[in-house]
Amino acid sequence: MNDLPVYHFKRSRKQRAKLFTRMGLFCWLYILGLLAYESLSEQRVPEAIRLPLLIALSLASMVLFFIAWWHLRHPAEYEAIITRERFRVRYPDHAPWSFDVAVAEIAGFENRQASNHAGKGMMQHGILMRDGRFFHISMNYGNKISDMYQAVKTINPEVSYPKTVNKKASGLGIQRDYKD
């Protein structure tokens, strides 16, 4: 009975490709809107705005269509499952973002942003274990860390999720103390 999912999120790259295709099509919709405006109003948008807009939207659509194509050519699935006993994340083609941990060992969820000589680092979302390990949870597939937190909290009410960003962490190695 304990292996029934409390939370289950699954998304394929094929599903993600649809999102990028829609965004690429919307770029062309904006271009058509600009041209329709010029045609119907019989006014031309100033060249200082028109040309950069047409170039930017065209290039953006090409990049978005390429990303969609890549997702279709490299099929894989992201999956996150939380049962009463385990929290598993299977991230495609990137083992460091995949993990399988005991729910009882989770101290909390955390957003962290490390700083280094180049300034602020990338925002990282994840879980902090009681032993100090931090497991990154990627948001690339449209999953919501708040939903994961709520599912874990129903099993382990002591789990915390501070609203503040931990800026003291320098990478994945330094952990936050949840006892303060």
Side-chain angles (χ1 to χ4, degrees):
M1 225 20 159
N2 287 340
D3 59 343
L4 291 175
V6 175
Y7 172 88
H8 188 210
F9 181 89
K10 189 176 192 178
R11 184 77 36 97
S12 71
R13 286 185 179 158
K14 184 178 181 181
Q15 289 170 306
R16 295 296 288 166
K18 290 177 185 176
L19 171 68
F20 291 108
T21 301
R22 282 193 305 265
M23 289 190 308
L25 291 172
F26 270 100
C27 288
W28 286 101
L29 187 64
Y30 290 133
I31 290 171
L32 290 174
L34 174 70
L35 298 175
Y37 167 78
E38 288 181 340
S39 175
L40 294 173
S41 70
E42 296 178 4
Q43 291 181 333
R44 190 152 167 101
V45 174
E47 206 60 37
I49 296 172
R50 184 180 194 273
L51 187 60
L53 192 61
L54 291 174
I55 291 171
L57 288 171
S58 299
L59 289 175
S61 73
M62 289 191 319
V63 169
L64 290 164
F65 289 143
F66 174 77
I67 293 170
W69 172 83
W70 186 91
H71 275 82
L72 291 171
R73 296 282 300 171
H74 299 88
E77 286 184 333
Y78 170 90
E79 187 172 31
I81 300 172
I82 300 171
T83 65
R84 299 202 64 72
E85 303 292 326
R86 309 295 298 171
F87 183 175
R88 294 182 197 95
V89 170
R90 190 171 46 85
Y91 190 89
D93 305 326
H94 193 64
W97 289 354
S98 299
F99 57 85
D100 183 346
V101 298
V103 170
E105 293 302 312
I106 299 172
F109 285 69
E110 182 174 271
N111 298 317
R112 51 173 60 178
Q113 185 174 30
S115 296
N116 58 28
H117 68 282
K120 290 183 179 178
M122 188 173 96
M123 181 71 82
Q124 296 178 357
H125 316 279
I127 55 171
L128 184 64
M129 305 302 291
R130 293 187 194 282
D131 64 7
R133 292 178 296 155
F134 179 81
F135 292 96
H136 177 73
I137 299 174
S138 173
M139 301 287 125
N140 293 353
Y141 284 83
N143 49 318
K144 294 180 182 171
I145 197 166
S146 59
D147 292 348
M148 293 175 179
Y149 164 69
Q150 290 300 328
V152 170
K153 189 137 180 91
T154 62
I155 303 162
N156 184 356
E158 288 124 31
V159 171
S160 63
Y161 187 22
K163 298 296 181 201
T164 59
V165 175
N166 178 3
K167 295 184 180 182
K168 295 177 184 171
S170 61
L172 299 178
I174 306 281
Q175 312 308 331
R176 183 174 184 160
D177 184 9
Y178 272 87
K179 294 183 175 38
D180 51 349

